[in-house]
Amino acid sequence: PSHAAKPNEGIDALVTGAQYVTAVQTIVSRNADPMKSMVITIGKMQAGSRYNIVAGECVLEGTCRTFAPEMRDLAEKRLKEVLDGVCLLSGCTGELNYERGYMAVLNEEKMTKYMSDKIKELYGDEALVEVEPAMTAEDFSFYLNEVPGAFAWIGTTGEGEKVWPLHNSHYNPNEGVLWRGAALLTKLVLDFNK
């Protein structure tokens, strides 16, 4: 770190971190196959201790979401290469700690149809709503990597109410509908292989 009035006497980790955040966006737009989904989000940046001190350290946290394993490999490789490039440009050092978390949730077609049929039997055709693929993370992906299965969302927003996204402070599920999920799981088990 150095005094803000003499930035040449230090290496500004905050500026370098900001450059990295901007630069990694080109991984998705310029390195990834546009027909294969990828999202890279830096959701947290911590740098600096005071307004008049050049930041000596910057810590970033983010997430990478893909459906295809080869895209995950590409993201990890390019995140490291971009970090090395930004560090070379600024004269600092950096470390990438890339932890592989959940895999993509990929429902098996036969099990998806089975679950869809059981939802209709229990709650009627109007209860089944097909959703677009999403990049949300879910540990159920580990099960689906081992055995055929399907994952479903249970809507908890009341009719006519505003739908708030996950992790939003306004999200307030209607717990009165949770029994529907338990009933569905029971029916899936009792009717399996009939």
Side-chain angles (χ1 to χ4, degrees):
S2 66
H3 195 285
K6 296 188 176 189
N8 57 300
E9 293 180 359
I11 296 172
D12 195 332
L14 192 149
V15 170
T16 303
Q19 289 173 331
Y20 182 73
V21 170
T22 302
V24 298
Q25 300 312 306
T26 63
I27 297 171
V28 174
S29 67
R30 292 296 174 256
N31 301 136
D33 181 340
M35 301 306 288
K36 295 181 179 178
S37 298
M38 177 190 289
V39 173
I40 296 176
T41 299
I42 306 296
K44 183 177 179 181
M45 178 184 219
Q46 287 182 279
S49 59
R50 191 153 164 79
Y51 76 95
N52 64 343
I53 299 173
V54 171
E57 182 176 279
C58 180
V59 177
L60 303 171
E61 293 180 13
T63 186
C64 174
R65 309 290 173 94
T66 67
F67 291 125
E70 67 271 14
M71 298 304 285
R72 185 186 251 196
D73 294 339
L74 171 68
E76 183 175 6
K77 176 181 176 283
R78 289 298 293 141
L79 283 165
K80 174 70 170 118
E81 291 170 349
V82 171
L83 177 62
D84 291 344
V86 170
C87 287
L88 179 65
L89 179 68
S90 69
C92 73
T93 58
E95 177 185 346
L96 177 68
N97 181 14
Y98 189 95
E99 297 176 8
R100 290 185 178 234
Y102 307 126
M103 298 168 283
V105 173
L106 301 172
N107 287 349
E108 194 268 335
E109 188 175 340
K110 182 178 172 185
M111 297 305 284
T112 302
K113 181 177 179 345
Y114 172 70
M115 184 185 294
S116 298
D117 290 345
K118 297 305 167 186
I119 291 169
K120 291 176 189 177
E121 285 177 31
L122 277 173
Y123 307 118
D125 290 356
E126 67 281 352
L128 181 66
V129 178
E130 293 190 26
V131 297
E132 295 292 319
M135 291 286 189
T136 52
E138 176 55 54
D139 57 1
F140 194 75
S141 64
F142 292 113
Y143 292 111
L144 294 179
N145 193 49
E146 298 295 323
V147 295
F151 181 85
W153 297 96
I154 297 174
T156 61
T157 301
E159 192 171 332
E161 293 179 13
K162 180 170 174 54
V163 177
W164 294 99
L166 293 173
H167 304 301
N168 185 289
S169 63
H170 296 288
Y171 177 70
N172 185 19
N174 173 5
E175 294 177 1
V177 301
L178 295 181
W179 66 269
R180 290 176 172 252
L184 173 61
L185 291 174
T186 302
K187 182 149 186 72
L188 290 170
V189 171
L190 294 176
D191 291 358
F192 193 70
N193 285 331
K194 275 190 174 181

